[in-house]
Amino acid sequence: MKKFLAGALAVCLCFTGLFLSCGEKKKNEIYVYTPDGAPALAFAYAMHGDSADDGVSYEVVNPATIESYLTYRDEEKNADICALPLNTASKLLGSGEKYQLVGTVTNGNLYLLSGGGVAYTRENLALLKGKTVGVVQLANVPGILFKMILTDLNIPYAELKNGEEAKADKVNLKAVAPDTLMPTKGIDAFVAPEPQASVKVLKTSLEFVGSLQELYGGEKGFPQAVVVAKRSLLKKNPQAVEKLVKKLVDGAQWLETAEISSICGAVSSHLTKGLTPSLTEKNLSRLAIENSSVWFTSAQARKAEINEFLAKMVAVGGAASAVDEAFFAK
């Protein structure tokens, strides 16, 4: 009986802890959430200078759970400010009713890797026909963007599912797990994001053979991870949002010279409890930081580009939506 009560108490405390971490907030505190990975790099400077009495609380969370910080029925539990992929923001928040887009923070961190040989450009990407490309997050931005590039270049592609054979006249796309270091049998190349891409190159015989940012053709990459803020916060305390934006702007320059240990420490010290950091001193390099394309651009400055990019995502069946004018913060 005592063992049962002890177990029940432990379970209760566990759920209580989860509830507190997800829902209970300090009054007037601004809660900021960012996925681990490249978006967290954008907030590293702000988190590096974080103090207990500055009125802002940062948390680096599992990328797979980022939507949950925007979709609680009790709106008080939701993030005040949140970083997330643009396509996800367009689906969840595109009306601008509850959240507005403040700006972009990452601008393309996707790369083609293979065992070497051909360096792929827009002129020769068709050489991938008949080959199989393993894509990390095929259903999300990496896969959607690669499909957009292939469509723009009139290169046919096919998604391989359930052991399907590769088509000789198409680029064959296959979903692969993010932590897969080397291509599995039958996979000729990878599409992977930084900083994972640099880890694969460091630990295997894979090499960088193409940049999806350059293949897409945008001079400044593409709008990838964005920052949104509650409309109520923008109305009630715009100065707080402006202060954070200033830190995001300054953070891009800070990343260029900051010690790797300082960057990783800023992120890891704000991780959700129990989450293993993806950015460590062993895997984060200057090249990975540069390839992550971290800088802030305001929503208004990229509005036309964002609308065009979302339209292209929708056209290839990507998980995205057109957004209303109200989605863009002034």
Side-chain angles (χ1 to χ4, degrees), residues 263-293:
I263 297 170
C264 294
V267 175
S268 62
S269 63
H270 291 81
L271 278 175
T272 296
K273 188 176 181 180
L275 184 64
T276 301
S278 68
L279 307 175
T280 69
E281 292 182 59
K282 291 183 178 180
N283 66 26
L284 186 62
S285 64
R286 290 292 171 198
L287 178 61
I289 294 171
E290 181 181 349
N291 285 349
S292 294
S293 303

mmCIF file of all heavy atoms in Angstrom, residues 263-293:
data_model
loop_
_atom_site.group_PDB
_atom_site.id
_atom_site.type_symbol
_atom_site.label_atom_id
_atom_site.label_comp_id
_atom_site.label_asym_id
_atom_site.label_seq_id
_atom_site.Cartn_x
_atom_site.Cartn_y
_atom_site.Cartn_z
ATOM 1 N N ILE A 263 27.862 30.488 -26.792
ATOM 2 C CA ILE A 263 26.645 30.283 -27.587
ATOM 3 C C ILE A 263 25.905 29.041 -27.105
ATOM 4 O O ILE A 263 24.695 29.079 -26.838
ATOM 5 C CB ILE A 263 27.002 30.146 -29.076
ATOM 6 C CG1 ILE A 263 27.647 31.438 -29.586
ATOM 7 C CG2 ILE A 263 25.761 29.806 -29.893
ATOM 8 C CD1 ILE A 263 28.254 31.317 -30.972
ATOM 9 N N CYS A 264 26.641 27.942 -26.990
ATOM 10 C CA CYS A 264 26.013 26.688 -26.550
ATOM 11 C C CYS A 264 25.492 26.802 -25.121
ATOM 12 O O CYS A 264 24.421 26.283 -24.803
ATOM 13 C CB CYS A 264 27.011 25.536 -26.652
ATOM 14 S SG CYS A 264 27.494 25.135 -28.339
ATOM 15 N N GLY A 265 26.241 27.494 -24.264
ATOM 16 C CA GLY A 265 25.811 27.667 -22.882
ATOM 17 C C GLY A 265 24.535 28.465 -22.772
ATOM 18 O O GLY A 265 23.655 28.156 -21.954
ATOM 19 N N ALA A 266 24.403 29.508 -23.604
ATOM 20 C CA ALA A 266 23.190 30.326 -23.586
ATOM 21 C C ALA A 266 21.972 29.502 -23.963
ATOM 22 O O ALA A 266 20.896 29.637 -23.358
ATOM 23 C CB ALA A 266 23.346 31.501 -24.547
ATOM 24 N N VAL A 267 22.139 28.637 -24.960
ATOM 25 C CA VAL A 267 21.015 27.803 -25.402
ATOM 26 C C VAL A 267 20.711 26.703 -24.389
ATOM 27 O O VAL A 267 19.566 26.513 -23.980
ATOM 28 C CB VAL A 267 21.301 27.198 -26.795
ATOM 29 C CG1 VAL A 267 20.187 26.234 -27.193
ATOM 30 C CG2 VAL A 267 21.438 28.307 -27.836
ATOM 31 N N SER A 268 21.740 25.969 -23.980
ATOM 32 C CA SER A 268 21.520 24.815 -23.096
ATOM 33 C C SER A 268 20.969 25.223 -21.736
ATOM 34 O O SER A 268 20.212 24.467 -21.116
ATOM 35 C CB SER A 268 22.817 24.021 -22.924
ATOM 36 O OG SER A 268 23.817 24.805 -22.309
ATOM 37 N N SER A 269 21.309 26.428 -21.270
ATOM 38 C CA SER A 269 20.815 26.864 -19.964
ATOM 39 C C SER A 269 19.333 27.235 -19.996
ATOM 40 O O SER A 269 18.723 27.458 -18.948
ATOM 41 C CB SER A 269 21.629 28.067 -19.473
ATOM 42 O OG SER A 269 21.472 29.182 -20.330
ATOM 43 N N HIS A 270 18.748 27.279 -21.187
ATOM 44 C CA HIS A 270 17.326 27.607 -21.309
ATOM 45 C C HIS A 270 16.518 26.462 -21.922
ATOM 46 O O HIS A 270 15.366 26.643 -22.299
ATOM 47 C CB HIS A 270 17.151 28.867 -22.160
ATOM 48 C CG HIS A 270 17.643 30.109 -21.482
ATOM 49 N ND1 HIS A 270 18.965 30.467 -21.459
ATOM 50 C CD2 HIS A 270 16.977 31.068 -20.790
ATOM 51 C CE1 HIS A 270 19.097 31.603 -20.797
ATOM 52 N NE2 HIS A 270 17.924 31.979 -20.373
ATOM 53 N N LEU A 271 17.128 25.292 -22.008
ATOM 54 C CA LEU A 271 16.434 24.124 -22.567
ATOM 55 C C LEU A 271 15.304 23.647 -21.667
ATOM 56 O O LEU A 271 15.409 23.700 -20.435
ATOM 57 C CB LEU A 271 17.409 22.968 -22.754
ATOM 58 C CG LEU A 271 18.303 22.927 -23.991
ATOM 59 C CD1 LEU A 271 19.248 21.748 -23.873
ATOM 60 C CD2 LEU A 271 17.473 22.820 -25.260
ATOM 61 N N THR A 272 14.242 23.162 -22.288
ATOM 62 C CA THR A 272 13.200 22.464 -21.550
ATOM 63 C C THR A 272 13.834 21.327 -20.753
ATOM 64 O O THR A 272 14.703 20.615 -21.257
ATOM 65 C CB THR A 272 12.157 21.877 -22.523
ATOM 66 O OG1 THR A 272 11.508 22.957 -23.191
ATOM 67 C CG2 THR A 272 11.123 21.048 -21.786
ATOM 68 N N LYS A 273 13.417 21.164 -19.528
ATOM 69 C CA LYS A 273 13.980 20.128 -18.671
ATOM 70 C C LYS A 273 13.866 18.752 -19.324
ATOM 71 O O LYS A 273 12.800 18.353 -19.797
ATOM 72 C CB LYS A 273 13.255 20.120 -17.314
ATOM 73 C CG LYS A 273 13.890 19.199 -16.292
ATOM 74 C CD LYS A 273 13.204 19.308 -14.943
ATOM 75 C CE LYS A 273 13.856 18.400 -13.901
ATOM 76 N NZ LYS A 273 13.178 18.501 -12.588
ATOM 77 N N GLY A 274 14.994 18.046 -19.380
ATOM 78 C CA GLY A 274 15.016 16.699 -19.952
ATOM 79 C C GLY A 274 15.338 16.654 -21.428
ATOM 80 O O GLY A 274 15.566 15.574 -21.979
ATOM 81 N N LEU A 275 15.372 17.808 -22.102
ATOM 82 C CA LEU A 275 15.669 17.839 -23.534
ATOM 83 C C LEU A 275 17.181 17.826 -23.761
ATOM 84 O O LEU A 275 17.914 18.607 -23.160
ATOM 85 C CB LEU A 275 15.061 19.098 -24.164
ATOM 86 C CG LEU A 275 15.202 19.249 -25.686
ATOM 87 C CD1 LEU A 275 14.457 18.133 -26.400
ATOM 88 C CD2 LEU A 275 14.676 20.612 -26.124
ATOM 89 N N THR A 276 17.638 16.928 -24.626
ATOM 90 C CA THR A 276 19.064 16.855 -24.950
ATOM 91 C C THR A 276 19.405 17.943 -25.958
ATOM 92 O O THR A 276 18.751 18.050 -27.001
ATOM 93 C CB THR A 276 19.416 15.482 -25.552
ATOM 94 O OG1 THR A 276 19.081 14.458 -24.611
ATOM 95 C CG2 THR A 276 20.896 15.389 -25.879
ATOM 96 N N PRO A 277 20.405 18.770 -25.681
ATOM 97 C CA PRO A 277 20.716 19.875 -26.594
ATOM 98 C C PRO A 277 21.249 19.379 -27.932
ATOM 99 O O PRO A 277 22.044 18.437 -27.992
ATOM 100 C CB PRO A 277 21.789 20.664 -25.834
ATOM 101 C CG PRO A 277 22.417 19.671 -24.910
ATOM 102 C CD PRO A 277 21.309 18.750 -24.511
ATOM 103 N N SER A 278 20.817 20.005 -29.008
ATOM 104 C CA SER A 278 21.352 19.654 -30.329
ATOM 105 C C SER A 278 22.610 20.446 -30.634
ATOM 106 O O SER A 278 23.401 20.067 -31.495
ATOM 107 C CB SER A 278 20.299 19.931 -31.410
ATOM 108 O OG SER A 278 20.067 21.325 -31.537
ATOM 109 N N LEU A 279 22.805 21.567 -29.916
ATOM 110 C CA LEU A 279 23.972 22.416 -30.124
ATOM 111 C C LEU A 279 24.954 22.220 -28.977
ATOM 112 O O LEU A 279 24.652 22.549 -27.830
ATOM 113 C CB LEU A 279 23.555 23.883 -30.202
ATOM 114 C CG LEU A 279 22.461 24.239 -31.211
ATOM 115 C CD1 LEU A 279 22.074 25.700 -31.088
ATOM 116 C CD2 LEU A 279 22.921 23.921 -32.624
ATOM 117 N N THR A 280 26.114 21.677 -29.283
ATOM 118 C CA THR A 280 27.142 21.459 -28.272
ATOM 119 C C THR A 280 28.482 21.951 -28.812
ATOM 120 O O THR A 280 28.644 22.195 -30.015
ATOM 121 C CB THR A 280 27.273 19.975 -27.906
ATOM 122 O OG1 THR A 280 27.830 19.264 -29.036
ATOM 123 C CG2 THR A 280 25.924 19.367 -27.543
ATOM 124 N N GLU A 281 29.450 22.071 -27.927
ATOM 125 C CA GLU A 281 30.781 22.502 -28.346
ATOM 126 C C GLU A 281 31.437 21.493 -29.286
ATOM 127 O O GLU A 281 32.348 21.830 -30.038
ATOM 128 C CB GLU A 281 31.662 22.732 -27.119
ATOM 129 C CG GLU A 281 31.234 23.917 -26.267
ATOM 130 C CD GLU A 281 32.149 24.138 -25.085
ATOM 131 O OE1 GLU A 281 33.357 24.348 -25.305
ATOM 132 O OE2 GLU A 281 31.656 24.088 -23.931
ATOM 133 N N LYS A 282 30.963 20.249 -29.250
ATOM 134 C CA LYS A 282 31.540 19.219 -30.110
ATOM 135 C C LYS A 282 30.984 19.269 -31.531
ATOM 136 O O LYS A 282 31.637 18.794 -32.466
ATOM 137 C CB LYS A 282 31.289 17.832 -29.501
ATOM 138 C CG LYS A 282 32.059 17.572 -28.221
ATOM 139 C CD LYS A 282 31.813 16.157 -27.717
ATOM 140 C CE LYS A 282 32.624 15.867 -26.461
ATOM 141 N NZ LYS A 282 32.392 14.481 -25.960
ATOM 142 N N ASN A 283 29.758 19.806 -31.693
ATOM 143 C CA ASN A 283 29.188 19.763 -33.043
ATOM 144 C C ASN A 283 28.898 21.132 -33.649
ATOM 145 O O ASN A 283 28.615 21.227 -34.846
ATOM 146 C CB ASN A 283 27.908 18.911 -33.072
ATOM 147 C CG ASN A 283 26.767 19.527 -32.265
ATOM 148 O OD1 ASN A 283 26.689 20.725 -32.059
ATOM 149 N ND2 ASN A 283 25.853 18.679 -31.809
ATOM 150 N N LEU A 284 28.967 22.203 -32.863
ATOM 151 C CA LEU A 284 28.692 23.532 -33.408
ATOM 152 C C LEU A 284 30.003 24.173 -33.857
ATOM 153 O O LEU A 284 30.924 24.353 -33.062
ATOM 154 C CB LEU A 284 28.004 24.414 -32.369
ATOM 155 C CG LEU A 284 27.543 25.788 -32.878
ATOM 156 C CD1 LEU A 284 26.507 25.633 -33.982
ATOM 157 C CD2 LEU A 284 27.002 26.638 -31.743
ATOM 158 N N SER A 285 30.066 24.535 -35.124
ATOM 159 C CA SER A 285 31.276 25.127 -35.689
ATOM 160 C C SER A 285 30.955 26.501 -36.268
ATOM 161 O O SER A 285 29.781 26.867 -36.442
ATOM 162 C CB SER A 285 31.832 24.233 -36.800
ATOM 163 O OG SER A 285 30.899 24.163 -37.878
ATOM 164 N N ARG A 286 31.993 27.243 -36.595
ATOM 165 C CA ARG A 286 31.804 28.537 -37.253
ATOM 166 C C ARG A 286 31.080 28.362 -38.584
ATOM 167 O O ARG A 286 30.232 29.169 -38.965
ATOM 168 C CB ARG A 286 33.153 29.212 -37.492
ATOM 169 C CG ARG A 286 33.837 29.691 -36.226
ATOM 170 C CD ARG A 286 33.085 30.841 -35.604
ATOM 171 N NE ARG A 286 33.590 31.171 -34.285
ATOM 172 C CZ ARG A 286 32.930 31.882 -33.386
ATOM 173 N NH1 ARG A 286 31.719 32.321 -33.670
ATOM 174 N NH2 ARG A 286 33.453 32.145 -32.216
ATOM 175 N N LEU A 287 31.428 27.294 -39.301
ATOM 176 C CA LEU A 287 30.789 27.031 -40.587
ATOM 177 C C LEU A 287 29.294 26.765 -40.394
ATOM 178 O O LEU A 287 28.458 27.277 -41.153
ATOM 179 C CB LEU A 287 31.444 25.842 -41.287
ATOM 180 C CG LEU A 287 30.821 25.444 -42.635
ATOM 181 C CD1 LEU A 287 30.923 26.594 -43.634
ATOM 182 C CD2 LEU A 287 31.493 24.186 -43.175
ATOM 183 N N ALA A 288 28.959 25.972 -39.384
ATOM 184 C CA ALA A 288 27.556 25.657 -39.127
ATOM 185 C C ALA A 288 26.766 26.915 -38.784
ATOM 186 O O ALA A 288 25.612 27.081 -39.207
ATOM 187 C CB ALA A 288 27.440 24.634 -38.000
ATOM 188 N N ILE A 289 27.386 27.802 -38.005
ATOM 189 C CA ILE A 289 26.719 29.063 -37.647
ATOM 190 C C ILE A 289 26.497 29.911 -38.894
ATOM 191 O O ILE A 289 25.398 30.430 -39.129
ATOM 192 C CB ILE A 289 27.548 29.834 -36.601
ATOM 193 C CG1 ILE A 289 27.582 29.062 -35.280
ATOM 194 C CG2 ILE A 289 26.961 31.232 -36.384
ATOM 195 C CD1 ILE A 289 28.549 29.643 -34.263
ATOM 196 N N GLU A 290 27.531 30.022 -39.712
ATOM 197 C CA GLU A 290 27.405 30.806 -40.950
ATOM 198 C C GLU A 290 26.340 30.208 -41.863
ATOM 199 O O GLU A 290 25.514 30.926 -42.452
ATOM 200 C CB GLU A 290 28.751 30.846 -41.671
ATOM 201 C CG GLU A 290 28.725 31.646 -42.956
ATOM 202 C CD GLU A 290 30.059 31.646 -43.672
ATOM 203 O OE1 GLU A 290 31.067 31.194 -43.072
ATOM 204 O OE2 GLU A 290 30.103 32.103 -44.836
ATOM 205 N N ASN A 291 26.333 28.887 -41.978
ATOM 206 C CA ASN A 291 25.381 28.211 -42.855
ATOM 207 C C ASN A 291 23.945 28.252 -42.336
ATOM 208 O O ASN A 291 23.017 27.955 -43.079
ATOM 209 C CB ASN A 291 25.788 26.742 -43.047
ATOM 210 C CG ASN A 291 26.969 26.583 -43.981
ATOM 211 O OD1 ASN A 291 27.375 27.535 -44.646
ATOM 212 N ND2 ASN A 291 27.520 25.387 -44.027
ATOM 213 N N SER A 292 23.768 28.612 -41.070
ATOM 214 C CA SER A 292 22.421 28.670 -40.497
ATOM 215 C C SER A 292 21.674 29.933 -40.902
ATOM 216 O O SER A 292 20.473 30.049 -40.661
ATOM 217 C CB SER A 292 22.501 28.564 -38.967
ATOM 218 O OG SER A 292 22.975 27.288 -38.576
ATOM 219 N N SER A 293 22.379 30.895 -41.505
ATOM 220 C CA SER A 293 21.743 32.105 -42.062
ATOM 221 C C SER A 293 20.848 32.804 -41.044
ATOM 222 O O SER A 293 19.658 33.023 -41.282
ATOM 223 C CB SER A 293 20.933 31.757 -43.313
ATOM 224 O OG SER A 293 21.736 31.139 -44.285
#
